[in-house]
Every structure is written in structure tokens, then in C-alpha cells.
Amino acid sequence: KPRKSNLAWQVGTVFAVVGAYVVAKNVADIASKIEDDNYDEETLVGPDGKPLCQVTSRVFFDTSIDGHDAGRIVVGLYGNAVPKTVKNFETLARGDTSHPRGAKLAYQGSTFHRIIPNFMIQGGDFTNHNGTGGLSIYGDKFEDEKLGLKLKHTGPGVLSMANAGRNTNGSQFFITTKETPWLDGRHVVFGKVEQGMDVIQLIDKTCGSPSGTPRRLVKIEKCGVLESDDTAKGD
């Protein structure tokens, strides 16, 4: 009996090692495929067969400009490709979690603190509101997810993590207003705008400056995770 148990354990270990190798190889193959500039994001699948750029959940931001309603932005998130980044973003949008040091982890009430016309709008610093702060649900910072670094900033409406270098993701994010290929491989792409691109264009054209300092106060008045495909404006 001990010998049979030993054999079963050894066989199980072999299968586990082989399985881990196959998954790792699949991820490497996917990453290699994404290196090709002609790849189609919509057809890429992960090791589990699920589409990497399939929208798995949606977050909304109800925004204001100088205190006046500016409309709703809805972003679709790539939970198959970058589950850790998506979980962080969803949790901050819900605003129902606190940091161990006591700070509430929530996007609601924060601003778009950096707006560069014909480039991007950046938000998510709910602690300092100027680009120097923010926190993740995993601590101050968390690491880059490899497949997110492989996805590209292909045009307006790409949702990506702001950072201060490798593996320094917190809560800050940006939404592009044009193609930005120089950011590819440097920032984790984790979603796209599905509704409200007109709101983003309004912010881009009327609220920004070449330095990035906003000329008007752009605020997230309300936010959350949509529980269905309904993206209509809320109450």
C-alpha cells in the first residue's frame, strides 16, 4: 500500500508539472503571437480557451465639469487577460473597501487630474488628487500582468494603467484619445470605452492643457460596476 501511494503521488506530481508547463507554454505562445503587429485582438484566446479581449464586466463613471453634469462613461474590462488589474479597478469603482491604514479605496469623488488634449485623460488619484497618490487593493503598488503589457494602445478609448515604471500599478489609470504606440509594452491595457466617448472628447477638448494641468474641474460624481449589459444612464 505505501508503494502504491508513493506511485500515485509521483504520477500526480508528473501530471501537475506537465500541466503547469502546458499553461506556461500557452501563455508564452500567446504573448509571442501578440508581438506580431498584424494580430487581431478579438480572436486571441487564453490558455483556458477564453477570448483575452472579451469584455467580462463593465464599470461606469458619472462625470461633471465644474459642477455640471457631463455624462456617463462606461468601460468594458478584460477580465480574462488581466484578472488582477480588473479586480482592482472594479473594487475601487464599487468603493466598498478600505486600506489597512484606514483610507477608503474609492474612485467616487476623485478627479481627472491630468488632461492632455489629443493624447489622454488620467484619473484615479483619490488620495492626493494630483497624480502623486492613489492606492491599490493589494497595497500601495502591484505588479504588471504580462498579457496586459502585450495589448496595444490602438486608438481612442483604450483603458490602461498609469505607472511610475515597471510593477508600480496603483489606482491611477488613463483613457487614450488617440493612438499612442509609444506606450505599448510600458503600460497594462485592461479595457476599452464602450459608451461615452463623446464625454471623453468633450473633456479632452475643453478641459485640458499641453502641460496636463486641467483648466476645469472634471470629477467622478458617481461610479460602480454594472451588474448587467444595461449601460443606460443611471439615476
Side-chain angles (χ1 to χ4, degrees):
K1 286 183 180 179
R3 288 182 181 177
K4 287 183 179 179
S5 298
N6 243 353
L7 180 60
W9 180 83
Q10 289 172 0
V11 170
T13 301
V14 168
F15 275 110
V17 170
V18 170
Y21 169 78
V22 170
V23 170
K25 186 176 187 303
N26 283 343
V27 171
D29 288 344
I30 293 164
S32 176
K33 184 178 180 182
I34 296 176
E35 292 288 355
D36 180 0
D37 288 338
N38 297 317
Y39 79 95
D40 180 2
E41 288 187 350
E42 300 301 323
T43 64
L44 290 173
V45 296
D48 56 4
K50 295 179 180 178
L52 290 181
C53 292
Q54 178 183 15
V55 170
T56 56
S57 60
R58 293 173 174 85
V59 159
F60 73 89
F61 293 137
D62 288 338
T63 63
S64 67
I65 298 176
D66 288 342
H68 301 287
D69 176 38
R72 170 169 286 196
I73 299 167
V74 175
V75 292
L77 308 178
Y78 302 149
N80 293 339
V82 283
K84 190 169 185 177
T85 304
V86 165
K87 182 180 180 182
N88 181 64
F89 192 76
E90 288 176 340
T91 304
L92 296 176
R94 287 193 184 97
D96 55 3
T97 303
S98 295
H99 190 273
R101 293 200 296 265
K104 186 177 181 181
L105 302 175
Y107 285 140
Q108 185 167 320
S110 66
T111 65
F112 284 94
H113 61 270
R114 187 175 180 226
I115 305 169
I116 302 178
N118 197 34
F119 177 20
M120 61 88 195
I121 67 173
Q122 183 172 329
D125 180 359
F126 52 81
T127 58
N128 297 344
H129 307 282
N130 60 11
T132 63
L135 296 165
S136 83
I137 64 171
Y138 309 110
D140 291 350
K141 307 294 179 186
F142 67 99
E143 68 277 8
D144 299 325
E145 289 185 278
K146 185 174 182 180
L147 291 178
L149 288 174
K150 297 297 183 179
L151 300 178
K152 301 180 187 300
H153 300 78
T154 52
V158 173
L159 176 64
S160 191
M161 289 298 290
N163 62 41
R166 292 285 188 184
N167 301 314
T168 58
N169 302 289
S171 57
Q172 293 188 46
F173 62 91
F174 63 91
I175 299 171
T176 60
T177 57
K178 64 176 290 185
E179 183 180 6
T180 56
W182 61 90
L183 300 180
D184 295 347
R186 297 170 57 192
H187 296 267
V188 172
V189 172
F190 65 103
K192 64 181 179 180
V193 174
E194 292 196 319
Q195 178 183 314
M197 200 62 212
D198 57 332
V199 178
I200 293 169
Q201 290 168 345
L202 176 66
I203 295 170
D204 177 75
K205 292 176 181 178
T206 66
C207 303
S209 68
S211 69
T213 302
R215 293 186 288 119
R216 303 170 73 182
L217 179 65
V218 183
K219 191 174 180 180
I220 297 173
E221 297 289 350
K222 183 180 178 182
C223 57
V225 178
L226 292 171
E227 299 302 330
S228 70
D229 290 336
D230 179 18
T231 58
K233 183 167 174 51
D235 298 333

